């Protein structure tokens, strides 16, 4: 009986964190942002060799078939280092969906995902929010329409398209009639895209895939919360480090209570949120009935504390925090991007209320 | 991570549930001496079943079970669901007993642990003084040596439950020439000793809720030297373990309060519709629920650390700050949900739940201040937890 990380989990976390510190330091992220697709394949391949791409893929398909909590720790490390990768879509959401559908096609894709050779984006926004008249429909077995803000989709090889809560299409990104345009976002570390489908023949169409779609969304929300929480951790660390080094009025600014208390308030939010994250991630595998509620709560809660931390950490830095050169904005923007990627806090809390019968179901 | 409830635990849960259902109507509350017989019977019954003093060794009057995270979680969940207190929330069980377990002599443990857990002996905490609150180590109440005794003179204030207490664990200055932190001793003092004068203070919440608050005057109060816990002059160190337990014990039942708040929102109607139907109130409730869940699981994480023998580090330092504010914010939503009727109090017509939420709001505010203010918590978190530099001392004028 134990509510804490195992030694293996600590090891996994450390391995990924030290790899990222070595191989993808912030200077490298600065270089990558100039790329057409910042989540470059070389980094992803190297991470795949560490087991990152296949963390959730079944062993039979070459993955390590770990728990969502393990994936959340990796996600947290990636957020901490603001690494541009397709982890959320390709290593979390797609494998969860494909593994619960199974079948020989899905198995093949899973093997590709685990090796890192196949990058899979997901287009799921319309499951929870519809803007710009987006939506994808099936007619005569072909896909038509538009999907907005598709995650990790620019530069991907394969795309999972949620058509509705029960139907999932898989399309190859070189399919005829498919057009993927990168949408520039304030955060340059994610390859978000608009997907236009003009009579695209899907590589597979899964109907009655309701449980797979729901699980994919829950897993994505928990992993995204982990990413944002990792970014928060780093912002607190950077603020504390700066406060120990910057002097004003002949004193380290960290000796001013105003600054100290800002730092204390930030960490006081981070630590309990970490506990909630562990529980939510653990519930996904061990207590699946609780996972939908936990997924909503953890992402909504982390989104709220993260917005505050993003601001306060920047304030601790003063003017330099507001510059491009200081790099702090990479974290600020990563956090900003996470906030609505799989549903914003208001939407998630409304869903949490619905799940408990507090609000009339939509 | 392993929270599997195997069959053994399901059985345990069923037992707890049975017990709670059977005894729910009879649980006596409060520390008043008039209720002593019922209180002792109720707490003894809980100890007998292992729902209270569970991990305290049998020789000291406990149940003697090995620590087990899930059992603790199950007991808390079932008691909270039923809305009844497990054991007794008081300074004796939550602060004195852990202190004696780590620093007391065998004789002190035998004499005080069982009797305190059974509710036979009620304690108060004599730390704060008019001139020494946050700066507790500056305390001035003196204890001078006289033969086998110390003789205490001075004043304590903000002493919760002093008017009901049989005993006081008190901090006194025994070595006036030592440095501030090194001259203090931790003493167990019977409250019926001649020379003690307890004067109750009325609190902001008036007569509602548990709110005993006092000042206590000491003139030539004699106490045997054998009543010192640990060594003379080590009181500061010992008191700090007590404060740590106080802060951890404030891991109050946020989940239970949240359930009660949700019930209120279902019951309370505005223009004929339940408050729960309002998306605005509902959103606030869901925000609080996420915080309550965080603190619940954070508590499990802290428990796991102590079972593993790991230090929780900074994660442990944030508990008091966050729990107290969460409780205050839950009461605030309840008051807002009741709207214009939320101010009704003191048995007014239309008053809800006997003024519970107003009283809870004020009580929670007291907890934000008591046991180390929120600001002091932030100093501790930032200095001890994050290693930020201490405030420079002002040059003496
Ligand atoms: C409900 C309740 C129950 C209590 N029960 C007991 C009890 O049973 N036994 C007991 O001994 N005491 C008890 N206390 C007293 C409590 O511990 C003190 O009130 C508390 O430690 C603050 O001390 P103070 O009241 O002297 O306030 P002060 O220390 O004078 O503080 C006033 C303000 O100044 C701020 N401040 C002070 N120093 C600093 C600093 N270094 N940095 C930043 N801000 C600072 C404080 O945060 C606060 O906002 C209780 C208090 C309450 C409210």
């Amino acid at each position: 009986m134990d509510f804490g990380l195992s030694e293996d989990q600590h090891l996994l976390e450390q391995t990924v964190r030290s790899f990222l510190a070595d191989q993808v330091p912030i200077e490298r992220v600065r270089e990558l942002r100039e790329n057409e697709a910042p989540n470059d394949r070389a980094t992803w391949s190297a991470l795949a060799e560490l087991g990152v791409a296949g963390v959730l893929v079944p062993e039979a398909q070459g993955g390590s078939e770990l728990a969502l909590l393990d994936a959340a720790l990796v996600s947290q490390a990636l957020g901490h280092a603001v690494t541009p990768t397709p982890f959320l879509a390709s290593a979390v959401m797609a494998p969860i969906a494909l593994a619960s559908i199974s079948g020989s096609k899905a198995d093949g894709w899973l093997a590709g995902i685990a090796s890192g050779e196949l990058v899979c984006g997901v287009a799921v926004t319309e499951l929870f929010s519809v803007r710009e008249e987006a939506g994808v429909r099936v007619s005569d077995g072909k896909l038509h329409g538009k999907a907005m803000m598709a995650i990790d989709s620019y530069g991907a090889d394969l795309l999972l398209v949620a058509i509705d809560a029960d139907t999932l299409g898989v399309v190859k990104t070189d399919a005829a009639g498919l057009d993927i345009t990168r949408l520039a976002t304030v955060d340059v570390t994610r390859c978000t895209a608009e997907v236009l489908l003009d009579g695209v023949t899907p590589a597979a169409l899964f109907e009655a895939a309701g449980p797979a779609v729901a699980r994919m969304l829950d897993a994505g929300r928990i992993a995204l919360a982990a990413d944002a929480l990792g970014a928060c951790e780093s912002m607190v660390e950077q603020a504390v480090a700066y406060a120990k080094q910057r002097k004003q009025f002949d004193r380290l600014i960290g000796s001013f209570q105003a600054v100290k208390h800002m730092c204390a308030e930030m960490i006081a939010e981070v630590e309990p949120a970490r506990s909630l994250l562990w529980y939510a991630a653990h519930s996904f595998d061990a207590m699946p009935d609780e996972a939908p509620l936990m997924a909503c709560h953890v992402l909504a809660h982390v989104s709220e504390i993260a917005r505050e931390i993003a601001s306060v950490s920047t304030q601790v830095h003063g003017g330099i925090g507001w510059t491009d050169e200081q790099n702090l904005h990479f974290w600020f923007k990563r956090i900003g991007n996470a906030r609505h990627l799989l549903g914003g806090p208001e939407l998630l809390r409304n869903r949490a209320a619905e799940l408990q019968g507090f609000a009339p179901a939509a | 991570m392993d929270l599997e409830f195997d069959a053994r635990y399901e059985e345990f849960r069923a037992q707890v549930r049975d017990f709670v259902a059977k005894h729910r109507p009879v649980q006596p509350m409060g520390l008043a001496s008039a209720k002593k017989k019922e209180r002792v019977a109720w707490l003894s019954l809980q100890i007998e079943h292992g729902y209270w003093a569970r991990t305290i060794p049998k020789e000291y009057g406990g149940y003697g079970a090995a620590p087990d995270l899930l059992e603790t979680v199950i007991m808390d969940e079932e008691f909270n669901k039923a809305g009844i207190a497990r054991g007794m929330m008081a300074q004796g069980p939550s602060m004195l007993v852990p202190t004696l377990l780590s620093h007391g002599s065998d004789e002190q443990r035998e004499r005080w642990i069982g009797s305190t857990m059974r509710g036979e002996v009620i304690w108060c905490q004599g730390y704060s003084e008019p001139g020494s609150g946050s700066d507790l180590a500056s305390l001035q109440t003196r204890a001078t040596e006289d033969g086998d005794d110390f003789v205490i003179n001075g004043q304590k204030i903000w002493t919760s439950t002093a008017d009901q207490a049989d005993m006081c664990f008190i901090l006194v200055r025994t070595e006036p020439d030592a440095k501030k932190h090194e001259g203090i001793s931790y003493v167990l003092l019977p409250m019926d000793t001649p020379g003690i004068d307890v004067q109750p203070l009325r609190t902001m919440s008036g007569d509602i809720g548990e709110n005993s608050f006092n000042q206590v005057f000491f003139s030539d109060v004699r106490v045997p030297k054998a009543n010192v816990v640990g060594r003379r002059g080590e009181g500061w160190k010992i008191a700090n373990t007590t404060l740590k337990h106080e802060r951890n014990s404030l891991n109050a039942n946020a989940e239970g309060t949240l359930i009660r708040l949700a019930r209120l929102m279902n019951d309370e109607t505005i223009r004929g519709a339940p408050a729960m139907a309002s998306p605005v109130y509902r959103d606030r409730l869901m925000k609080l629920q996420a915080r309550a869940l965080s603190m619940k699981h954070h508590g499990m994480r802290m428990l796991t650390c102590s079972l593993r023998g790991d230090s929780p580090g900074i994660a442990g330092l944030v508990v008091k700050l966050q729990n107290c504010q969460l409780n205050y914010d839950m009461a605030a939503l309840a008051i807002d949900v009741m709207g214009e009727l939320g101010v009704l109090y003191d048995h007014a017509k239309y008053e809800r739940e006997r003024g519970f939420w107003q009283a809870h709001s004020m009580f929670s505010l007291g907890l934000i201040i008591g046991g180390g203010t929120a600001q002091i918590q932030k100093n501790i978190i930032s200095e001890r937890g994050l290693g930020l530099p201490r405030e420079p001392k002002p040059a003496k004028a």
Side-chain angles (χ1 to χ4, degrees):
Chain A
M1 294 315 122
D2 194 73
F3 185 78
L5 301 183
S6 67
E7 270 177 36
D8 285 350
Q9 284 166 334
H10 282 298
L11 190 67
L12 172 70
E13 189 173 34
Q14 278 160 20
T15 309
V16 178
R17 286 193 183 212
S18 57
F19 172 88
L20 294 174
D22 266 16
Q23 301 297 312
V24 205
I26 191 64
E27 296 73 27
R28 177 77 186 129
V29 177
R30 282 187 79 92
E31 288 167 18
L32 289 171
R33 76 171 160 175
E34 309 301 335
N35 289 7
E36 201 191 321
N39 53 14
D40 78 317
R41 290 297 178 105
T43 307
W44 189 234
S45 300
L47 279 165
E49 267 174 47
L50 282 184
V52 163
V55 64
L56 294 175
V57 171
E59 278 180 7
Q61 279 78 50
S64 33
E65 204 172 336
L66 296 180
L68 190 68
L69 179 55
D70 301 287
L73 296 174
V74 174
S75 187
Q76 212 174 338
L78 294 166
H80 185 267
V82 290
T83 317
T85 71
F87 182 77
L88 179 62
S90 200
V92 177
M93 297 179 72
I96 291 293
L98 293 173
S100 49
I101 289 162
S102 86
S104 61
K105 267 187 181 163
D107 288 353
W109 290 321
L110 282 166
I113 284 171
S115 72
E117 280 153 40
L118 190 77
V119 167
C120 185
V122 299
V124 296
T125 307
E126 285 69 33
L127 289 174
F128 50 85
S129 175
V130 177
R131 292 177 198 253
E132 297 293 332
E133 291 155 37
V136 179
R137 61 191 157 60
V138 188
S139 127
D140 291 338
K142 295 194 171 178
L143 307 186
H144 299 266
K146 166 159 93 171
M148 295 288 290
M149 308 306 282
I151 300 170
D152 301 339
S153 295
Y154 184 76
D157 308 301
L158 202 67
L159 216 56
L160 247 55
V161 183
I163 290 148
D164 56 44
D166 292 309
T167 319
L168 207 53
V170 184
V171 295
K172 295 202 171 118
T173 53
D174 58 6
L178 186 70
D179 182 29
I180 301 180
T181 313
R182 184 166 182 215
L183 297 171
T185 56
V186 60
D187 169 29
V188 294
T189 64
R190 283 191 191 282
C191 291
T192 306
E194 173 190 27
V195 180
L196 296 175
L197 303 110
D198 183 14
V200 176
T201 306
L205 190 64
F206 300 109
E207 284 159 328
V213 174
R215 293 282 283 169
M216 163 176 73
L217 208 51
D218 292 344
R221 285 175 173 161
I222 294 166
L224 182 59
D227 185 285
L229 190 63
C232 287
E233 278 178 297
S234 174
M235 288 198 92
V236 179
E237 287 159 13
Q238 293 181 69
V240 170
Y242 189 71
K244 287 180 184 173
Q245 156 226 314
R246 165 82 176 164
K247 277 192 174 173
Q248 284 292 280
F249 299 95
D250 302 319
R251 285 166 61 175
L252 290 171
I253 58 165
S255 70
F256 291 112
Q257 269 196 356
V259 172
K260 247 185 236 188
H261 287 193
M262 284 198 275
C263 294
E265 284 159 12
M266 289 193 282
I267 198 73
E269 294 298 347
V270 166
E271 287 303 330
R274 188 197 308 277
S275 306
L276 181 63
L277 172 68
W278 288 358
Y279 187 81
H282 182 63
S283 78
F284 185 83
D285 291 299
M287 293 158 281
D289 292 350
E290 289 186 40
L293 178 63
M294 288 299 156
C296 289
H297 269 323
V298 74
L299 182 54
H301 181 68
V302 169
S303 294
E304 298 293 20
I305 70 165
R307 173 175 273 177
E308 190 62 19
I309 288 170
S311 158
V312 172
S313 171
T314 308
Q315 291 179 53
V316 169
H317 285 79
I320 197 146
W322 209 60
T323 62
D324 176 66
E325 187 198 340
Q326 172 67 23
N327 292 325
L328 200 62
H329 60 92
F330 281 99
W331 283 266
F332 181 97
K333 293 166 184 170
R334 178 97 160 196
I335 285 170
N337 195 0
R339 189 174 173 93
H340 289 276
L341 207 53
L342 288 171
E346 289 79 12
L347 185 151
L348 294 167
R349 286 193 291 268
N350 191 52
R351 180 78 193 125
E354 281 173 19
L355 286 166
Q356 298 174 89
F358 293 153
Chain B
M1 194 67 66
D2 176 10
L3 301 175
E4 195 74 32
F5 287 98
D6 62 28
R8 186 170 79 74
Y9 286 103
E10 288 312 331
E11 214 170 282
F12 181 71
R13 185 187 290 280
Q15 281 167 17
V16 181
R17 207 173 270 170
D18 263 11
F19 179 88
V20 165
K22 199 151 109 209
H23 295 285
R24 184 173 174 184
V26 298
Q27 36 121 18
M29 300 292 284
L31 310 178
S33 56
K35 294 273 180 67
K36 182 165 171 180
K37 235 179 95 184
E38 291 107 300
R39 178 177 69 233
V40 172
W42 168 235
L43 292 173
S44 302
L45 184 72
Q46 286 189 63
I47 296 175
E48 192 186 305
H49 285 78
Y51 302 146
W52 179 233
R54 184 172 182 82
T55 59
I56 290 175
K58 273 211 164 88
E59 49 183 319
Y60 303 137
Y63 180 75
D68 183 307
L69 174 62
L70 268 197
E71 286 173 354
T72 312
V73 170
I74 289 171
M75 289 188 292
D76 283 340
E77 277 181 4
E78 293 304 321
F79 276 76
N80 287 347
K81 254 188 247 159
I84 70 178
R86 186 159 77 81
M88 173 174 64
M89 271 293 280
Q91 292 174 323
S94 61
M95 286 174 263
L96 175 82
V97 166
T99 304
L100 287 184
L101 282 170
S102 47
H103 297 282
S105 66
D106 282 345
E107 203 199 320
Q108 286 165 343
R109 291 177 186 180
E110 273 160 32
R111 174 134 183 230
W112 299 118
I113 292 179
S115 55
T116 300
M117 297 309 287
R118 288 190 296 274
E120 291 161 16
V121 180
I122 302 300
W123 292 80
C124 62
Q125 176 198 41
Y127 286 11
S128 306
E129 298 180 5
S132 305
S134 299
D135 184 12
L136 183 59
S138 70
L139 62 91
Q140 295 299 324
T141 294
R142 260 187 319 120
T144 35
E145 253 183 298
D146 186 21
D148 289 339
D149 292 343
F150 279 120
V151 179
I152 301 176
N153 281 286
Q155 183 194 348
K156 295 288 171 181
I157 197 166
W158 323 133
T159 325
S160 306
T161 73
D163 53 344
Q164 298 156 332
D166 307 294
M167 293 289 296
C168 178
F169 50 99
I170 187 173
L171 291 181
V172 289
R173 191 163 295 282
T174 46
E175 337 291 313
D177 301 327
K179 280 195 221 144
K180 189 166 154 179
H181 294 87
E182 288 162 16
I184 296 170
S185 296
Y186 187 110
V187 178
L188 308 179
L189 175 66
M191 287 298 282
D192 60 2
T193 315
I196 300 180
D197 178 20
V198 178
Q199 294 187 3
L201 296 164
R202 196 173 159 85
T203 71
M204 69 186 294
S205 56
D207 302 324
I208 299 176
E210 295 231 5
N211 51 13
S212 153
F213 217 38
N214 308 274
Q215 48 186 341
V216 188
F217 297 90
F218 303 87
S219 42
D220 293 332
V221 176
R222 298 192 85 86
V223 59
K225 280 183 183 164
N227 285 23
V228 172
V229 176
R231 273 201 292 270
R232 230 179 115 152
E234 281 187 353
W236 181 252
K237 202 179 76 193
I238 293 171
N240 271 314
T241 45
T242 312
L243 284 175
K244 197 178 80 195
H245 290 299
E246 175 170 21
R247 282 164 198 156
N248 292 343
S249 77
L250 287 172
N251 199 344
N253 171 18
E255 204 185 17
T257 309
L258 193 103
I259 292 171
R260 187 166 179 170
L261 176 53
R263 204 184 309 136
L264 173 77
M265 286 177 57
N266 278 323
D267 293 348
E268 195 66 32
T269 60
I270 306 156
R271 289 184 191 277
M276 191 67 98
S278 149
V280 175
Y281 290 140
R282 214 164 51 213
D283 189 65
R284 282 178 63 185
L285 180 71
M286 289 301 96
K287 264 189 191 171
L288 290 168
Q289 186 175 45
R291 287 169 60 194
L293 286 166
S294 307
M295 292 317 294
K296 176 185 173 182
H297 299 117
H298 197 62
M300 284 168 61
R301 180 172 149 206
M302 296 300 98
L303 268 171
T304 298
C305 284
S306 68
L307 294 182
R308 285 182 181 183
D310 294 346
S311 156
I314 198 162
L317 300 179
V318 306
V319 172
K320 195 237 168 192
L321 179 70
Q322 297 300 69
N323 267 325
C324 292
Q325 189 62 44
L326 171 60
N327 268 290
Y328 184 76
D329 293 347
M330 287 194 287
L333 173 56
I335 290 168
D336 290 350
V337 161
M338 296 182 286
E340 61 283 7
L341 304 190
V343 290
L344 295 175
Y345 204 51
D346 213 8
H347 305 288
K349 191 179 175 189
Y350 306 117
E351 182 192 29
R352 309 300 205 242
E353 300 183 51
R354 290 213 173 159
F356 169 80
W357 292 106
Q358 283 287 353
H360 188 60
S361 161
M362 291 185 266
F363 182 71
S364 312
L365 178 56
L367 292 185
I368 292 175
I369 299 166
T373 66
Q375 293 69 39
I376 294 296
Q377 300 305 316
K378 290 177 196 173
N379 289 350
I380 293 172
I381 295 165
S382 52
E383 289 170 8
R384 272 185 239 161
L386 297 172
L388 288 169
R390 286 177 169 274
E391 196 89 355
K393 287 241 187 308
K396 288 241 157 71

